[in-house]
Each structure stands twice: as structure tokens, then as C-alpha cells.
């Protein structure tokens, strides 16, 4: 693959990840910048907290789509016969990680974004949908049991490399395992404050079954 094409694809993956869905959706539809409310985080969880379930769901789906699309850029290169089958997984991981970096450090909003969980989910869905489905189940069950989004994110992210390692879905793929543990370390890093609050017992809870009204433009 030419260096120019690689650079263009990397930039495209970063820009996809950089789309600040929570900020643009919140300001455009509600007149509210979610970064000035709740936890101050520009992610789907804070959007749920500040603007309600419908807005949070929209933002989450967009963030998932960002990660999925960026990761699938590798498949596009494969079908263009630009990269080989043996390189496909490596480039999926590269482009997906770049999209996550874009979400965490988005160029469009002064490099202050979210924590990348939904974008990571989109990436994992593009790489290994079966394993991603198990991780989603772990996330949901943990969230229902604990009402902690942070704890659910950390445990479901850890499940990916562990399940890969033990070969739940076939022969372990070393590159996938290394990627999974690297992502787990990144998630722990971006959730440092949440981990401290969990340890101290004052982490914010999210009741997914509770009714919540989003703020309107005049709030």
C-alpha cells in the first residue's frame, strides 16, 4: 500500500472518531453543551444523564457507528486488493484505535472528548461480532446489577482479551489478545477518576429503568 493512501486512510479514521456527536447533538437539538453539565464528559453516558435516554441512545449509536466505520476502512482496502488477508486484522486494529484516539482527543472540540467506550464497541463489532456480543451482554448484566456504567465498561472490556485468550471462539489470535489487553489498559486510564469514586463508594449510578426527562432549550 502506498504511503499516501495509508496517510489518507489514517486521517479519515481519526476524523471519523473525532466527530463530537454528544456536543453537536446537544447544542443543535437542545441548545445544551453536555460538557457544562453532569460529569462534564463529552460522551454517551453523560448525554444520557443530562439530556435523557433518547438523546443518549442517539449519541451512543453514532459513536458505535464511528468506530465500526473507521475499522471497516481496512475491509475497503482489502476489497480494493490494496492489503492482503493476512494484514486485514492488523489494519482493522490500527484504524479502530485511531478512531478511539480521535474520540478521546477530537480535533473539532479542542481535543477534549469522551472516554471512547462506544467507539471501542463499534470497533470490536467490526473485528469480532460474536465476541463483541458476549461483551455487550456482560456490560448490560453488570449495569443492571450495579448501576455503574464505569464498572460495566471496565469489566466488559476486560472480558474481550480474556475470552480471546481462553479460546472461547476458536484458536486464540495473539494479535487480538494483545489488542484487547491494550484497550483494557486504555479504558482503565480514561476511567481513573471513576475507579477512585468506585473505591470510595461515591461513583454516580445510572438507573436504566428510571424515567428521565431531558432538558429543553429553555432550561
Amino acid at each position: 500500500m502506498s504511503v499516501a493512501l495509508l496517510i489518507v486512510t489514517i486521517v479519515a479514521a481519526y476524523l471519523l472518531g473525532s466527530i463530537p456527536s454528544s456536543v453537536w447533538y446537544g447544542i443543535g437539538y437542545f441548545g445544551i453543551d453536555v460538557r457544562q453539565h453532569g460529569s462534564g464528559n463529552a460522551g454517551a453516558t453523560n448525554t444520557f444523564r443530562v439530556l435523557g435516554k433518547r438523546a443518549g441512545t442517539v449519541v451512543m449509536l453514532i459513536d458505535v457507528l464511528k468506530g465500526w466505520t473507521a475499522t471497516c476502512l481496512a475491509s475497503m482496502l482489502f476489497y480494493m486488493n490494496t492489503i492482503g488477508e493476512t494484514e486485514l486484522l492488523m489494519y482493522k486494529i490500527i484504524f479502530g484505535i485511531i478512531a478511539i484516539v480521535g474520540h478521546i482527543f477530537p480535533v473539532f472540540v479542542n481535543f477534549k472528548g469522551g472516554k471512547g467506550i462506544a467507539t471501542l464497541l463499534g470497533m470490536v463489532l467490526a473485528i469480532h461480532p460474536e465476541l463483541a456480543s458476549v461483551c455487550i451482554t456482560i456490560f448490560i448484566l453488570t449495569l443492571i446489577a450495579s448501576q455503574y456504567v464505569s464498572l460495566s465498561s471496565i469489566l466488559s472490556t476486560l472480558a474481550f482479551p480474556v475470552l480471546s485468550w481462553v479460546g472461547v471462539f476458536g484458536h486464540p489470535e495473539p494479535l487480538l489478545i494483545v489488542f484487547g489487553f491494550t484497550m483494557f489498559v486504555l479504558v482503565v486510564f480514561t476511567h481513573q477518576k471513576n475507579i477512585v469514586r468506585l473505591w470510595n463508594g461515591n461513583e454516580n449510578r445510572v438507573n436504566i429503568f428510571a424515567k428521565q426527562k431531558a432538558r429543553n432549550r429553555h432550561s
Side-chain angles (χ1 to χ4, degrees), residues 10-136:
I10 288 174
V11 171
Y14 172 76
L15 292 178
L16 280 168
S18 286
I19 296 172
S21 54
S22 62
V23 177
W24 286 354
Y25 185 83
I27 294 175
Y29 193 77
F30 294 94
I32 293 173
D33 187 341
V34 295
R35 296 171 298 175
Q36 298 175 3
H37 302 276
S39 66
N41 184 262
T45 300
N46 198 40
T47 304
F48 273 105
R49 184 179 296 117
V50 176
L51 301 179
K53 293 180 181 179
R54 181 176 298 181
T57 300
V58 170
V59 168
M60 181 181 68
L61 291 176
I62 293 174
D63 288 349
V64 169
L65 183 60
K66 292 186 328 188
W68 184 87
T69 304
T71 305
C72 286
L73 289 174
S75 298
M76 180 191 71
L77 295 178
F78 172 72
Y79 288 117
M80 291 170 57
N81 294 319
T82 304
I83 60 175
E85 187 174 357
T86 57
E87 303 171 294
L88 182 58
L89 176 60
M90 179 184 70
Y91 278 105
K92 280 186 173 182
I93 291 174
I94 289 173
F95 296 148
I97 291 176
I98 290 170
I100 293 170
V101 171
H103 180 86
I104 298 172
F105 305 106
V107 66
F108 300 115
V109 285
N110 299 320
F111 303 99
K112 295 180 180 180
K115 295 176 181 176
I117 298 300
T119 306
L120 173 60
L121 172 58
M123 174 186 180
V124 173
L125 281 169
I127 292 176
H128 202 311
E130 298 88 353
L131 192 49
S133 299
V134 175
C135 294
I136 292 171

Side-chain angles (χ1 to χ4, degrees), residues 9 25 35 74 81 131 134 170 173 185 191 212 215-216:
T9 314
Y25 185 83
R35 296 171 298 175
N81 294 319
L131 192 49
V134 175
E173 173 60 58
V185 171
H191 284 76
Q212 181 181 10
R215 302 184 183 193
N216 56 41

Side-chain angles (χ1 to χ4, degrees), residues 146 148 150-151 154 188 191-205:
S146 69
Y148 291 130
S150 55
L151 179 62
I154 292 169
V188 170
H191 284 76
Q192 292 178 78
K193 294 180 180 179
N194 303 84
I195 293 172
V196 171
R197 290 196 294 266
L198 283 168
W199 182 262
N200 294 330
N202 55 9
E203 171 68 319
N204 296 320
R205 292 179 183 268

